[in-house]
Amino acid sequence: MTATETYKVGARSGVGVSSQRPDAVPKATGEFSFSSDLSSHNMLWGKTLRSPHPSARIRNIDYSEALAISGVHAILTASDVPGKNLFGLEHPDQPVLADDIVRYAGEPIALVAAEHPEIAADAISRIHVDFEVLNPLVDAESAVTADPIHPEGNVIRHLVIDYGDPTSSGDVTVEGTYEVGMQDQAFMGTESGMAVPSPDGSVDLYISTQWLHSDQNQIIEALNLPEDMVRLTLAGVGGAFGGREDVSMHVHLCMLALHTGRPVKMIYDRNESFLGHVHRHPAKIWYRHHANKDGLLVKVEGKIILDGGAYASTTSAVLANACCFSTGPYKVDNAQIEGWGVRTNNPPCGAMRGFGNVQTCFAIEAQMDKIASALDIDPVELRLKNALEPGDQIITGQKITGAAPVKEVISSLADHPMPEPAINDLLARPGGTGRTTDQKHVKRGVGFAVSIKNLMFAEGFDDSSEALCEVNDGSVAIHTACVEVGQGFVTLVHQIAEEVLGVSDITVIPADTSIGSAGSTSASRQTWMSGGAVLKACEAVVVNLIEQIAEEEGVKYENLDGALVSEDGTKTIPIAEALRGRSFQEKVVHRHAPTFPLDEKGQGNAHVSFAFAAHRAVVDVDQELGLVRVVEIATSQDVGRILNPIQAVGQIEGGITQGLGLAVLEELVMKNGVIQNANFTDYLLPTALDTPPIEIASLIEEPEPGAPFGAKGIGEPPTISSTPAVVAAIRDATGLDLRRVPVRPEDIALE
Amino acid sequence: MIMEVLIASSAEEICELLGQDNSRQLLAGGTDFMVEVNYRHRSPSSVIAIDRVPELRNWHHDGDSVVIGSCVTYREIERGPLATLVPALAQAARTVGSPQIRNAGTIGGNIGTASPAGDMIPVLSALGAEVSLRSSEGKREISLDDLIVGVKQTSLGQGEFIESVRVPVLESPQEFLKVGSRSAMVISVTSLALITYPKTQSVGIGLGAVNPRPTRARQAEEFIKDFLNWESMQVDPSGLDHFKELVSEASRPIDDHRSIAAYRRHSIGVLAQRALTRIFSERSPSV
């Protein structure tokens, strides 16, 4: 089955339909207005001076020459930050502009506003910074004991999970050390935005982001302004994947606009974009797995080091995910896990699709294959034997109370037919257009991997989303601060309102900070959180409608599947009809079930819900040259319920492609703290030729209790186990160990 | 800050404009040039756009060779009659960037940029290409191998520009192979062109991305001669290992963010063997 076969594409009536995105065609034709298209009368252009050094002391900044350039209106440095010169997503530890010390190559030091971007760039090149260059700390392992590079120390978080009996042991043990390179979100639309000052000293910021209110909270602290003086409106987002969760140019734009009294716009070029947002944490992971001879897991021991780079960002939460799910979607009674999220002079790392689970899943799945091989058990069978089931506990002691169709996900994928043998086409082989590989050089391999991902924020975070439903004579307007980054909330709003109210005339009001926070578009959470808020707001309208009619007619109605039915069953009015001529305004705040912090043994009900996915990769490998061609990736995924099939498939295809990227292509190559390939020439994203057919074996629809319509988040799981599946397939073809991603040609050819 | 852009309409005019001021920079497809301008690595005050000059945009057949104007694009080389006349050049052109880049980028630009990873370079080198240079002083011809003198360095004189490049037309099979981590749109990690010359019963092997300047694997070319049978188009496999070694030894690769020297040295040898055995089947001549 593929999801699109089951549902009618393009129809628009409630949930479960492949409702087409209103921005689909404009994005394909280039007419969509992205944040980079913003413009305003009298606008200036902003530009950022960044440190070329990963570690240095700033002795002096001389910008007199730059300021003298005609057309330059402002040059601002750390001393111009009106409020606290600190920001941070989880807690403020990062300067808005570096003061005396720079801690990573790319750290902002000074800002320019000028009449033209070229003048701004010219000014930047004439700001003279006198650096005392220091030795950077770039090794994550030594950071734990090295001299602190930040007043808060080098260990951002140390987390221990002590579960079950540490003395337990199994018949076999397998051990391995694994490494994950630094992946980047590499969204197509670089950071861009515009700040517009008002005469009263307030400012409006139009920005592409993932979380308007978190941005606002950080900006007001830095600007020393009250909340109502800094208003944010979402501008067209060109992809996010976690890389827009942190503040980038936000405070800078506001500072320049308030200082010059003119609108200021910034667009990062591709190089600056790579310097201007956080990346996926590079990881070093050691595991020892203990299993019985029948293949059941007995104990997992693990040590996980995540390189957080110079500032904290979300390192603490990423580490929690890496540790909490460090045994994968498998049942195990004993686990000893120790994790460190450390600070180095590497670029800051934070949120990226899969958020901590990606790193450990790569290592866990390699270990599972090692156990299978040690015991001569089929890898799929081994996973089925150990698969979590509803009611099982994960290693934090939390019981899985919702849907956990792990076995269904695994077996439906295992049953899916394999792809055809290779076709005789030079371009379809490893090496592609390079014409390197003849059929006789190709070996085929198959790999299988399974993953778990927690949905929504964790560890006691007060996670909420607010929605407003306004009805005016049969027209509906919905307002939330939920950011559309491409995930498809834009159609879900329509679909949910239509489902509840039966109305098709629905307006989605642009996301801004005039309504309460929707939380971040991340953690696979917006369908549940903001979708849930929209659902509740629409339902509140219906409740009021019923009350109003009861008052008017003296008859009590009940809502039955979109129609109001009178108590005695004699009268039925469709809700849409009943809404005509009436006005309602319902604002609700939606929260998921509370979560709790982890205790000193890493125990606690820290998570809301879990989603599972399995991936099977088929690859062709040219072992002599180390070249890999992924032939097919098939998947089954636990989705709760599909609200928009075509978008579900879109998320899965995109996520798998990103996972493939990490497996064989995507890495920011570091040299002594400096990124060597901050461009699309050498940061290699998969092209159409690298992206294989993606087969959806099964989407398991087992409704999740507590989730609106039973729907689980879909966005992250495809990225998590696709990577280990591809690497397992390469191991299968070559017999190599391959402990690091991305797998490079030399890792295969020179082994 | 101000950049003057002069649009030349003839080769004569380019000579004149350069004659007036030889610091003027030439813009053809702009696929390297504009990136450098945008990143401020290059800030020319005067630019001559040469991509509309008819004689530079054309190619013609001239006896046993073709003369390709310097502003002929990868796209034009990749398909159509040129692809039949010089297939290895077409195979190399196909590996350059994206379709948009190939529509804009030119063979003259690839030569003038003189990057060790330039995809045209190993093919032109193996073909023994002669480059026509022109200036207000006149014209001269120089071999590609002599024109490119180092990493991004040429022996172009002041006021001199690349007018065309002359290569022999196909006599018998040719091969271009390139290693990159990605299936398309990737800078070369290593590349290799192998051209067969049946009249002299020899092969030309050009190496890409493993030396600072164009390099022929001369020793390997010489060595393998004795193992080739030009009637049956077969190669004696006993020579292949040493042939591969000689090709690897002709490379002086570096470690960088794209790969490591050890892999480049290894893969260039593998590419040579594969190119050769695609053209000459592996069989002992005595059989």
Side-chain angles (χ1 to χ4, degrees):
Chain A
M1 166 212 135
T2 69
T4 40
E5 282 163 13
T6 332
Y7 301 85
K8 202 172 146 208
V9 178
R12 197 177 244 194
S13 56
V15 301
V17 165
S18 280
S19 175
Q20 189 182 303
R21 305 174 58 100
D23 55 348
V25 171
K27 277 179 176 164
T29 56
E31 288 161 289
F32 182 81
S33 179
F34 288 100
S35 53
S36 51
D37 297 314
L38 290 163
S39 81
S40 170
H41 174 66
N42 208 27
M43 179 176 82
L44 296 173
W45 291 83
K47 184 94 185 148
T48 317
L49 173 70
R50 293 173 182 274
S51 171
H53 308 294
S55 177
R57 193 177 303 282
I58 298 174
R59 289 201 195 101
N60 184 44
I61 303 175
D62 176 5
Y63 54 78
S64 50
E65 187 191 338
L67 197 56
I69 298 171
S70 160
V72 172
H73 289 262
I75 296 180
L76 305 179
T77 61
S79 60
D80 299 301
V81 178
K84 285 184 196 146
N85 186 13
L86 282 178
F87 71 97
L89 188 49
E90 287 184 354
H91 79 277
D93 74 335
Q94 180 164 0
V96 173
L97 292 169
D99 196 350
D100 53 341
I101 295 275
V102 289
R103 296 189 182 85
Y104 73 97
E107 182 155 1
I109 295 172
L111 306 169
V112 171
E115 292 287 347
H116 189 277
E118 285 299 315
I119 300 176
D122 189 36
I124 289 290
S125 70
R126 291 165 201 259
I127 298 174
H128 306 289
V129 184
D130 180 13
F131 291 106
E132 179 193 343
V133 177
L134 307 171
N135 240 348
L137 171 66
V138 294
D139 178 56
E141 271 179 282
S142 32
V144 177
T145 51
D147 288 343
I149 60 162
H150 187 282
E152 293 181 17
N154 293 347
V155 178
I156 296 167
R157 187 173 189 179
H158 176 223
L159 183 59
V160 172
I161 294 181
D162 178 3
Y163 179 67
D165 175 10
T167 64
S168 56
S169 64
D171 300 322
V172 292
T173 60
V174 298
E175 201 173 328
T177 304
Y178 304 89
E179 269 183 70
V180 178
M182 189 188 286
Q183 192 182 18
D184 191 87
Q185 300 83 355
F187 33 69
M188 292 292 118
T190 61
E191 289 81 352
S192 50
M194 183 172 70
V196 182
S198 287
D200 65 356
S202 68
V203 62
D204 281 277
L205 179 66
Y206 302 84
I207 189 94
S208 53
T209 177
Q210 287 177 245
W211 189 357
L212 291 162
H213 287 78
S214 161
D215 295 347
Q216 185 189 33
N217 290 340
Q218 294 171 71
I219 298 166
I220 60 174
E221 291 293 321
L223 296 181
N224 195 24
L225 285 176
E227 204 176 275
D228 59 353
M229 301 271 284
V230 180
R231 299 166 294 267
L232 275 72
T233 304
L234 182 68
V237 181
F241 314 110
R244 292 189 212 272
E245 212 172 29
D246 292 73
V247 158
S248 59
M249 56 174 57
H250 308 49
V251 183
H252 301 163
L253 278 170
C254 293
M255 282 172 63
L256 289 171
L258 290 169
H259 186 90
T260 60
R262 288 171 65 174
V264 179
K265 177 178 177 177
M266 271 193 194
I267 306 178
Y268 289 174
D269 61 28
R270 182 57 62 190
N271 174 257
E272 188 170 17
S273 177
F274 276 111
L275 304 176
H277 62 250
V278 298
H279 318 289
R280 191 189 294 292
H281 288 79
K284 195 161 187 189
I285 299 163
W286 168 85
Y287 271 126
R288 182 154 59 209
H289 278 62
H290 305 247
N292 277 337
K293 56 179 179 296
D294 53 7
L296 285 174
L297 289 174
V298 175
K299 184 173 72 173
V300 178
E301 297 168 89
K303 291 190 195 300
I304 300 160
I305 296 183
L306 300 182
D307 185 347
Y311 296 104
S313 181
T314 50
T315 293
S316 170
V318 172
L319 182 73
N321 265 18
C323 292
C324 288
F325 306 103
S326 60
T327 53
Y330 308 112
K331 186 174 158 48
V332 60
D333 292 333
N334 311 291
Q336 305 292 317
I337 307 296
E338 195 172 5
W340 293 264
V342 302
R343 200 188 293 276
T344 65
N345 291 116
N346 288 318
C349 291
M352 183 172 172
R353 199 178 200 171
F355 205 80
N357 295 50
V358 164
Q359 290 90 334
T360 41
C361 186
F362 166 64
I364 295 160
E365 292 301 290
Q367 288 285 100
M368 293 303 282
D369 282 343
K370 279 188 182 173
I371 297 170
S373 155
L375 294 169
D376 199 21
I377 298 177
D378 176 72
V380 175
E381 193 192 324
L382 180 87
R383 287 170 169 85
L384 273 174
K385 276 184 180 207
N386 287 287
L388 282 168
E389 290 179 284
D392 284 346
Q393 279 187 7
I394 61 170
I395 59 169
T396 55
Q398 181 167 1
K399 197 170 157 183
I400 298 180
T401 54
V406 189
K407 290 191 168 167
E408 291 85 337
V409 163
I410 296 173
S411 16
S412 62
L413 178 58
D415 292 343
H416 193 72
M418 292 293 285
E420 297 293 312
I423 49 164
N424 187 23
D425 175 5
L426 198 53
L427 285 192
R429 289 193 205 117
T433 57
R435 309 175 66 260
T436 51
T437 306
D438 300 314
Q439 194 51 43
K440 63 184 175 195
H441 306 120
V442 174
K443 271 197 223 159
R444 183 158 282 196
V446 182
F448 202 94
V450 194
S451 58
I452 179 172
K453 176 71 184 59
N454 56 320
L455 307 176
M456 287 167 290
F457 294 155
E459 295 187 85
F461 186 85
D462 180 21
D463 194 3
S464 69
S465 179
E466 184 167 280
L468 170 74
C469 176
E470 236 175 8
V471 180
N472 202 348
D473 190 17
S475 306
V476 174
I478 308 279
H479 192 195
T480 71
C482 173
V483 168
E484 172 66 42
V485 300
Q487 84 275 26
F489 190 70
V490 67
T491 71
L492 278 187
V493 174
H494 270 270
Q495 293 178 278
I496 293 169
E498 210 168 333
E499 180 82 15
V500 180
L501 303 174
V503 175
S504 55
D505 179 6
I506 298 159
T507 306
V508 183
I509 297 171
D512 59 24
T513 50
S514 71
I515 189 162
S517 178
S520 175
T521 297
S522 64
S524 302
R525 64 180 282 290
Q526 283 297 17
T527 296
W528 188 313
M529 296 306 299
S530 294
V534 171
L535 175 62
K536 280 187 171 167
C538 293
E539 283 173 346
V541 166
V542 178
V543 169
N544 276 1
L545 174 69
I546 290 172
E547 277 174 19
Q548 229 177 60
I549 297 175
E551 271 174 36
E552 289 163 12
E553 298 183 15
V555 180
K556 184 118 176 72
Y557 284 83
E558 219 185 324
N559 180 5
L560 286 175
D561 282 337
L564 302 184
V565 181
S566 62
E567 235 172 0
D568 60 4
T570 58
K571 283 174 80 178
T572 303
I573 323 167
I575 291 174
E577 206 178 298
L579 285 172
R580 265 182 227 140
R582 297 175 193 273
S583 292
F584 295 95
Q585 209 177 46
E586 290 299 330
K587 198 189 248 184
V588 301
V589 176
H590 178 53
R591 285 186 161 76
H592 58 64
T595 62
F596 301 91
L598 297 166
D599 66 17
E600 72 284 357
K601 287 189 150 191
Q603 301 296 294
N605 291 338
H607 303 283
V608 180
S609 170
F610 311 96
F612 304 91
H615 294 89
R616 186 189 67 197
V618 178
V619 303
D620 282 346
V621 183
D622 176 344
Q623 191 161 357
E624 193 180 22
L625 283 177
L627 300 175
V628 175
R629 187 61 170 271
V630 181
V631 174
E632 182 199 273
I633 297 181
T635 185
S636 284
Q637 191 169 326
D638 154 38
V639 295
R641 183 174 169 203
I642 303 167
L643 301 187
N644 185 326
I646 197 171
Q647 289 189 169
V649 171
Q651 284 277 21
I652 288 168
E653 290 178 343
I656 285 176
T657 306
Q658 213 153 19
L660 178 158
L662 177 60
V664 291
L665 291 171
E666 293 184 42
E667 182 178 11
L668 286 174
V669 179
M670 302 301 304
K671 190 174 175 186
N672 212 19
V674 180
I675 301 173
Q676 301 298 298
N677 55 337
N679 53 62
F680 276 164
T681 306
D682 287 316
Y683 184 84
L684 300 180
L685 292 166
T687 67
L689 215 48
D690 300 282
T691 309
I694 288 164
E695 284 281 313
I696 296 178
S698 186
L699 300 178
I700 310 288
E701 294 195 78
E702 198 175 300
E704 176 73 346
F709 307 104
K712 286 185 175 181
I714 294 177
E716 290 177 282
T719 311
I720 302 171
S721 33
S722 47
T723 304
V726 169
V727 180
I730 304 172
R731 289 189 196 106
D732 182 47
T734 61
L736 298 171
D737 205 6
L738 303 176
R739 293 162 175 233
R740 184 188 190 281
V741 279
V743 178
R744 300 160 294 202
E746 59 264 32
D747 298 332
I748 298 172
L750 301 186
E751 271 304 307
Chain B
M1 286 300 295
I2 292 172
M3 190 195 301
E4 163 191 67
V5 180
L6 305 161
I7 299 171
S9 54
S10 67
E12 191 60 39
E13 198 181 350
I14 303 172
C15 293
E16 274 171 36
L17 293 169
L18 281 175
Q20 291 160 12
D21 176 0
N22 63 26
S23 74
R24 286 179 168 148
Q25 298 189 17
L26 300 184
L27 172 69
T31 56
D32 283 317
F33 189 97
M34 286 312 298
V35 175
E36 291 180 21
V37 169
N38 288 340
Y39 278 106
R40 307 177 70 81
H41 300 149
R42 184 198 281 262
S43 311
S45 55
S46 180
V47 172
I48 309 170
I50 61 169
D51 62 329
R52 296 177 203 187
V53 174
E55 55 261 58
L56 303 187
R57 290 199 60 114
N58 292 329
W59 61 271
H60 65 273
H61 212 140
D62 181 17
D64 288 342
S65 56
V66 279
V67 178
I68 304 170
S70 59
C71 288
V72 171
T73 64
Y74 299 116
R75 160 79 194 197
E76 291 162 296
I77 294 166
E78 184 188 333
R79 300 179 195 188
L82 271 179
T84 320
L85 294 169
V86 206
L89 210 53
Q91 290 161 3
R94 172 65 183 92
T95 71
V96 177
S98 62
Q100 294 90 329
I101 294 292
R102 297 200 291 278
N103 279 331
T106 66
I107 187 168
N110 205 241
I111 297 169
T113 298
S115 161
D119 290 309
M120 300 285 98
I121 310 299
V123 188
L124 294 174
S125 180
L127 286 166
E130 289 287 322
V131 184
S132 279
L133 307 180
R134 188 164 166 181
S135 70
S136 52
E137 309 288 302
K139 295 190 182 193
R140 67 179 173 120
E141 296 232 320
I142 184 170
S143 77
L144 176 95
D145 295 359
D146 290 333
L147 177 63
I148 298 176
V149 295
V151 175
K152 299 201 170 182
Q153 286 176 332
T154 65
S155 59
L156 271 175
Q158 295 286 341
E160 210 169 26
F161 67 95
I162 299 168
E163 191 171 45
S164 63
V165 55
R166 176 187 290 268
V167 294
V169 295
L170 176 75
E171 290 179 78
S172 68
Q174 357 183 292
E175 282 286 337
F176 172 82
L177 288 78
K178 163 171 151 179
V179 170
S181 304
R182 187 157 70 180
S183 294
M185 233 175 105
V186 65
I187 306 281
S188 175
V189 166
T190 53
S191 69
L192 177 137
L194 192 146
I195 309 294
T196 51
Y197 296 102
K199 279 176 205 150
T200 53
Q201 301 215 332
S202 62
V203 297
I205 299 168
L207 310 184
V210 289
N211 291 72
R213 50 184 294 192
T215 304
R216 291 274 292 265
R218 299 275 182 195
Q219 281 186 309
E221 291 173 6
E222 215 37 59
F223 166 79
I224 202 64
K225 273 183 176 173
D226 296 341
F227 296 82
L228 300 178
N229 181 327
W230 289 85
E231 272 159 36
S232 62
M233 292 303 278
Q234 289 176 336
V235 56
D236 176 353
S238 66
L240 287 175
D241 280 348
H242 190 55
F243 169 70
K244 211 164 126 180
E245 269 169 41
L246 288 174
V247 171
S248 290
E249 280 168 19
S251 71
R252 283 189 288 123
I254 57 164
D255 287 333
D256 65 12
H257 57 280
R258 292 187 190 125
S259 190
I260 55 172
Y263 175 76
R264 287 188 161 111
R265 203 172 294 114
H266 162 78
S267 60
I268 197 81
V270 175
L271 292 186
Q273 181 177 356
R274 290 190 182 181
L276 190 76
T277 56
R278 267 187 202 163
I279 297 171
F280 298 91
S281 55
E282 284 177 65
R283 203 166 300 163
S284 169
S286 58
V287 175

